[in-house]
Amino acid sequence: MQKALEQLKKIDAEITALEGAQAVLEWDQQVYMPERGVHARSEQTAGLAAIVHQKNTDPVIGDLLDKLGVSDENPLGSADLEDDDRRLVREIHRDFQRATRLPADLVSKIARVTSIAQSVWAEARRKSQFSLFQPHLEEIVKLSLEVAERLGYEAHPYDALVDQYEPEMTTAEIARVFRELREALVPLVRDIAAARQIDNSVLLKAFPVDRQEAFSRATLEALQFDMSRGRLDRSVHPFTTSLGPDDVRLTTRYDEHFFPTALFGTIHEAGHGLYELGFSRRFRGTRLASGASLGIHESMSRFWENVVGRSRAFWHHFYPVMKAEFPDQLSGVDLESFYRAINRVEPSLIRVEADEVTYSLHIILRFELERMLIGGELRVADLPHAWREQSQDLLGIVPDSDANGVLQDIHWSGGAIGYFPTYALGNVYGLQFTSRMRTDIPAMDNLLRQGDLVPVKAWLDEHIHSVGRSRTPGELCEEVTGEPMSAQPFIDYLTRKYTDIYDL
Ligand code: ZN
């Protein structure tokens, strides 16, 4: 058995190294590659992807897992294995099942269909014409159903799709939490809309990009992001990727006339980056050195961006620092006005521009539509209409065009159905973790007021980061908070914060 384990670990290390190489190619493509490099680059990434797929589906993995007693009924394998090893074989088994249940011709068909669909989607969005994209999305929904059937599920085909991004999460569980959120947030947004709106004109002044960049870097340092183990660059769409355990790349983008884009974007990506840099050394070179799920990853980025980065306590220390950097732009603007400006709430059409309160409503809208599409209750042709209806119910506004409605996100054109819920689950987990953190660190707000973020990061390192993928999101939530997933802490947080800000 020991020999089988060693052999399996060797394969796992090879796959992990190859994935690091894939990340280098993709990062370079987004950040540095000249436009015309794209043809050779797609050959390189496709070639490498084929090798990784071959390794991931190698029947030897199945034999080795058998020898270690791993099966669907017994995912942790033999009780004689060490605990870390049992967690590792469970994740190898999970990935192996996923990879081998999808036949190669289905995988390449999806790659072909989505590659065309993405360029058609871009054109359809430019022309704001859903009918162009419709046949491609119909094909993608059909293929997603086939993926769901192949992967297998108990209650709803959407379960199988969500599971790819959020292991062991179900449609019913998401629906339960989103119902609670919806019932609390829709009236909260309505109350805010009836209150006196906040003046945020200070955010719209000209903040020179080079000085924004310097301030973003200083913020990363304050957040204890280790620049000897990472970088910050620019890209059109901000992202974070790991090239290796000591090489985590963040990107951001700058808008001279709206500085929150870069500042909060950088803090958000730093949250992802701190997670990637915080995995236990025991897991180095294995797939346990990765996030537990997309939802947990998003809980870390949103914790830093919103719970810390948009708090009064944080700016108590950092606003004077920022004011010294931008004395002209911020002259005559006191801390309280600044705090309120960065927390202005306004229902808007575009998800990526949404504030902390309305953001989850954008996600609930997409979840409802995806669930109905995959459940056969909604036809793709009726999607724009259904989108407008949901938008009216959830946000009280209706898109003026398909470009600003059903065509705004790239996800569906890439075949990512079941991905959206993870964004809002991040908010939910994040506030559950925060409430536990506040119990463990009662002086948290005082520390933030002094600019001392060390204990907060240390808590996350110990309870979330280091754990990596050795726990499922559900297990992690239970272990850290003692509770299953619950929307209540997030609802309480938003209600308290915005009742104060808007004087409700
Ligand atoms: Zn994120």
Side-chain angles (χ1 to χ4, degrees):
M1 205 163 69
Q2 207 51 41
K3 226 177 113 196
L5 182 63
E6 290 311 316
Q7 210 181 331
L8 196 58
K9 283 183 173 177
K10 192 165 161 271
I11 295 171
D12 180 45
E14 285 168 4
I15 293 171
T16 304
L18 286 169
E19 285 172 346
Q22 282 181 306
V24 178
L25 293 182
E26 282 159 23
W27 175 83
D28 175 74
Q29 180 163 359
Q30 304 291 329
V31 176
Y32 275 135
M33 191 188 74
E35 206 179 316
R36 288 176 62 188
V38 71
H39 296 291
R41 181 56 50 87
S42 63
E43 295 289 319
Q44 294 156 357
T45 47
L48 200 45
I51 295 171
V52 173
H53 181 72
Q54 200 181 11
K55 288 219 174 265
N56 272 323
T57 52
D58 189 340
V60 169
I61 296 178
D63 297 341
L64 294 169
L65 289 169
D66 278 346
K67 283 187 186 142
L68 296 167
V70 184
S71 64
D72 282 349
E73 294 70 36
N74 186 27
L76 290 163
S78 164
D80 294 336
L81 295 170
E82 305 263 349
D83 187 57
D84 281 354
D85 293 334
R86 302 190 80 192
R87 308 283 175 174
L88 177 62
V89 297
R90 177 173 67 171
E91 294 314 299
I92 293 176
H93 177 66
R94 193 192 302 284
D95 293 343
F96 182 68
Q97 294 288 22
R98 244 181 234 152
T100 52
R101 281 177 184 169
L102 301 182
D105 59 339
L106 177 60
V107 173
S108 57
K109 188 168 183 194
I110 292 171
R112 255 193 336 269
V113 167
T114 55
S115 150
I116 296 167
Q118 288 197 24
S119 65
V120 174
W121 164 77
E123 189 196 345
R125 186 168 78 154
R126 209 166 42 244
K127 296 180 175 162
S128 194
Q129 202 177 328
F130 180 75
S131 58
L132 291 177
F133 182 51
Q134 184 186 320
H136 299 269
L137 186 55
E138 281 166 353
E139 184 72 19
I140 286 169
V141 169
K142 221 168 77 193
L143 289 168
S144 299
L145 274 169
E146 195 177 338
V147 166
E149 293 303 329
R150 298 274 186 176
L151 291 176
Y153 55 86
E154 275 174 25
H156 196 292
Y158 191 67
D159 290 351
L161 302 179
V162 169
D163 184 82
Q164 302 176 93
Y165 309 105
E166 201 64 22
E168 301 181 16
M169 179 59 64
T170 64
T171 312
E173 184 74 350
I174 298 171
R176 175 183 67 77
V177 166
F178 282 6
R179 195 176 318 114
E180 290 173 38
L181 270 184
R182 183 182 192 132
E183 282 167 11
L185 297 188
V186 169
L188 179 62
V189 171
R190 209 182 299 130
D191 291 348
I192 290 173
R196 205 180 124 104
Q197 188 50 292
I198 290 165
D199 172 14
N200 70 342
S201 53
V202 57
L203 309 181
L204 307 172
K205 291 185 184 166
F207 287 71
V209 165
D210 56 333
R211 279 162 60 207
Q212 282 194 47
E213 183 167 12
F215 192 73
S216 288
R217 287 182 188 283
T219 309
L220 282 183
E221 202 173 309
L223 263 47
Q224 303 152 78
F225 182 81
D226 183 351
M227 278 297 187
S228 72
R229 300 173 67 203
R231 285 181 58 88
L232 175 67
D233 293 275
R234 298 183 189 191
S235 68
V236 179
H237 303 287
F239 67 99
T240 295
T241 184
S242 276
L243 276 46
D246 294 308
D247 186 353
V248 171
R249 311 286 174 102
L250 318 179
T251 71
T252 194
R253 59 179 165 175
Y254 297 91
D255 179 345
E256 186 175 349
H257 293 280
F258 194 64
F259 85 85
T261 301
L263 179 60
F264 292 107
T266 303
I267 297 176
H268 179 98
E269 297 306 328
H272 287 304
L274 291 171
Y275 192 9
E276 292 284 319
L277 287 176
F279 302 132
S280 168
R281 296 190 75 86
R282 304 200 311 277
F283 301 152
R284 284 203 166 203
T286 80
R287 72 189 68 194
L288 293 184
S290 51
S293 69
L294 290 186
I296 300 295
H297 233 302
E298 205 59 13
S299 77
M300 295 296 94
S301 56
R302 282 165 194 276
F303 168 78
W304 286 106
E305 178 191 351
N306 293 325
V307 179
V308 174
R310 286 192 165 89
S311 71
R312 199 183 258 127
F314 176 83
W315 287 105
H316 180 85
H317 175 83
F318 283 98
Y319 189 56
V321 180
M322 189 169 179
K323 228 174 158 168
E325 281 297 316
F326 301 99
D328 298 340
Q329 293 86 343
L330 298 174
S331 100
V333 180
D334 63 12
L335 170 62
E336 194 57 27
S337 308
F338 178 80
Y339 168 68
R340 286 157 52 91
I342 58 171
N343 284 298
R344 179 181 154 118
V345 172
E346 190 166 28
S348 63
L349 296 173
I350 305 297
R351 173 184 62 89
V352 296
E353 293 164 8
D355 56 77
E356 191 184 11
V357 182
T358 57
Y359 188 88
S360 300
L361 298 173
H362 288 266
I363 299 306
I364 293 172
L365 179 156
R366 287 152 179 77
F367 165 72
E368 296 294 353
L369 299 180
E370 287 188 341
R371 176 170 65 153
M372 289 192 286
L373 279 176
I374 296 300
E377 299 159 59
L378 175 68
R379 296 182 318 148
V380 171
D382 299 327
L383 201 52
H385 174 73
W387 185 289
R388 288 192 290 270
E389 263 183 6
Q390 288 281 342
S391 184
Q392 177 63 49
D393 287 354
L394 285 158
L395 293 156
I397 50 174
V398 177
D400 49 356
S401 65
D402 287 343
N404 287 333
V406 68
L407 289 173
Q408 67 181 271
D409 302 300
I410 194 172
H411 301 60
W412 291 340
S413 69
I417 295 179
Y419 187 113
F420 280 120
T422 66
Y423 292 121
L425 296 181
N427 287 330
V428 167
Y429 291 131
L431 267 298
Q432 284 188 271
F433 296 149
T434 307
S435 79
R436 178 58 208 250
M437 185 191 293
R438 285 189 181 281
T439 311
D440 292 348
I441 313 175
M444 184 172 146
D445 281 337
N446 277 330
L447 293 164
L448 294 184
R449 258 193 288 277
Q450 292 155 24
D452 182 2
L453 305 176
V454 172
V456 168
K457 177 177 171 285
W459 189 95
L460 294 173
D461 277 337
E462 182 187 343
H463 295 276
I464 317 277
H465 299 162
S466 61
V467 177
R469 205 181 149 186
S470 69
R471 299 293 183 277
T472 66
E475 287 170 349
L476 184 67
C477 186
E478 284 273 0
E479 282 179 24
V480 174
T481 70
E483 310 268 347
M485 184 169 68
S486 160
Q488 206 54 50
F490 181 48
I491 293 169
D492 292 345
Y493 156 81
L494 289 179
T495 308
R496 207 174 309 123
K497 178 171 174 181
Y498 289 92
T499 300
D500 167 55
I501 290 177
Y502 277 91
D503 200 13
L504 300 177

PDB file of all heavy atoms in Angstrom, residues 268-269 272 298 301, ligand 1:
ATOM      1  N   HIS A 268      -9.078  43.127  -3.420  1.00  0.00           N
ATOM      2  CA  HIS A 268      -9.799  41.883  -3.718  1.00  0.00           C
ATOM      3  C   HIS A 268      -8.826  40.791  -4.174  1.00  0.00           C
ATOM      4  O   HIS A 268      -8.808  39.683  -3.621  1.00  0.00           O
ATOM      5  CB  HIS A 268     -10.852  42.158  -4.800  1.00  0.00           C
ATOM      6  CG  HIS A 268     -11.644  40.956  -5.209  1.00  0.00           C
ATOM      7  ND1 HIS A 268     -12.896  40.686  -4.704  1.00  0.00           N
ATOM      8  CD2 HIS A 268     -11.367  39.938  -6.062  1.00  0.00           C
ATOM      9  CE1 HIS A 268     -13.356  39.556  -5.227  1.00  0.00           C
ATOM     10  NE2 HIS A 268     -12.449  39.077  -6.061  1.00  0.00           N
ATOM     11  N   GLU A 269      -8.005  41.114  -5.161  1.00  0.00           N
ATOM     12  CA  GLU A 269      -7.069  40.107  -5.677  1.00  0.00           C
ATOM     13  C   GLU A 269      -6.044  39.720  -4.611  1.00  0.00           C
ATOM     14  O   GLU A 269      -5.599  38.577  -4.548  1.00  0.00           O
ATOM     15  CB  GLU A 269      -6.372  40.608  -6.949  1.00  0.00           C
ATOM     16  CG  GLU A 269      -7.312  40.871  -8.130  1.00  0.00           C
ATOM     17  CD  GLU A 269      -8.216  39.687  -8.505  1.00  0.00           C
ATOM     18  OE1 GLU A 269      -7.788  38.530  -8.333  1.00  0.00           O
ATOM     19  OE2 GLU A 269      -9.358  39.934  -8.944  1.00  0.00           O
ATOM     20  N   HIS A 272      -7.317  36.872  -2.684  1.00  0.00           N
ATOM     21  CA  HIS A 272      -7.067  35.597  -3.366  1.00  0.00           C
ATOM     22  C   HIS A 272      -5.597  35.199  -3.211  1.00  0.00           C
ATOM     23  O   HIS A 272      -5.264  34.042  -2.973  1.00  0.00           O
ATOM     24  CB  HIS A 272      -7.384  35.725  -4.863  1.00  0.00           C
ATOM     25  CG  HIS A 272      -8.854  35.785  -5.188  1.00  0.00           C
ATOM     26  ND1 HIS A 272      -9.732  34.805  -4.783  1.00  0.00           N
ATOM     27  CD2 HIS A 272      -9.590  36.685  -5.897  1.00  0.00           C
ATOM     28  CE1 HIS A 272     -10.956  35.113  -5.239  1.00  0.00           C
ATOM     29  NE2 HIS A 272     -10.893  36.243  -5.899  1.00  0.00           N
ATOM     30  N   GLU A 298     -13.500  33.044  -3.006  1.00  0.00           N
ATOM     31  CA  GLU A 298     -14.175  34.343  -3.091  1.00  0.00           C
ATOM     32  C   GLU A 298     -14.475  34.894  -1.691  1.00  0.00           C
ATOM     33  O   GLU A 298     -14.530  36.109  -1.500  1.00  0.00           O
ATOM     34  CB  GLU A 298     -15.454  34.180  -3.925  1.00  0.00           C
ATOM     35  CG  GLU A 298     -15.957  35.416  -4.605  1.00  0.00           C
ATOM     36  CD  GLU A 298     -14.985  36.070  -5.590  1.00  0.00           C
ATOM     37  OE1 GLU A 298     -13.959  35.454  -5.973  1.00  0.00           O
ATOM     38  OE2 GLU A 298     -15.242  37.218  -5.954  1.00  0.00           O
ATOM     39  N   SER A 301     -11.325  36.904  -0.799  1.00  0.00           N
ATOM     40  CA  SER A 301     -11.143  38.170  -1.521  1.00  0.00           C
ATOM     41  C   SER A 301     -12.169  39.204  -1.069  1.00  0.00           C
ATOM     42  O   SER A 301     -11.855  40.381  -0.900  1.00  0.00           O
ATOM     43  CB  SER A 301     -11.239  37.939  -3.024  1.00  0.00           C
ATOM     44  OG  SER A 301     -12.457  37.314  -3.363  1.00  0.00           O
TER      45      SER A 301
HETATM   46 ZN    ZN B   1     -12.552  37.114  -6.948  1.00  0.00          ZN
END
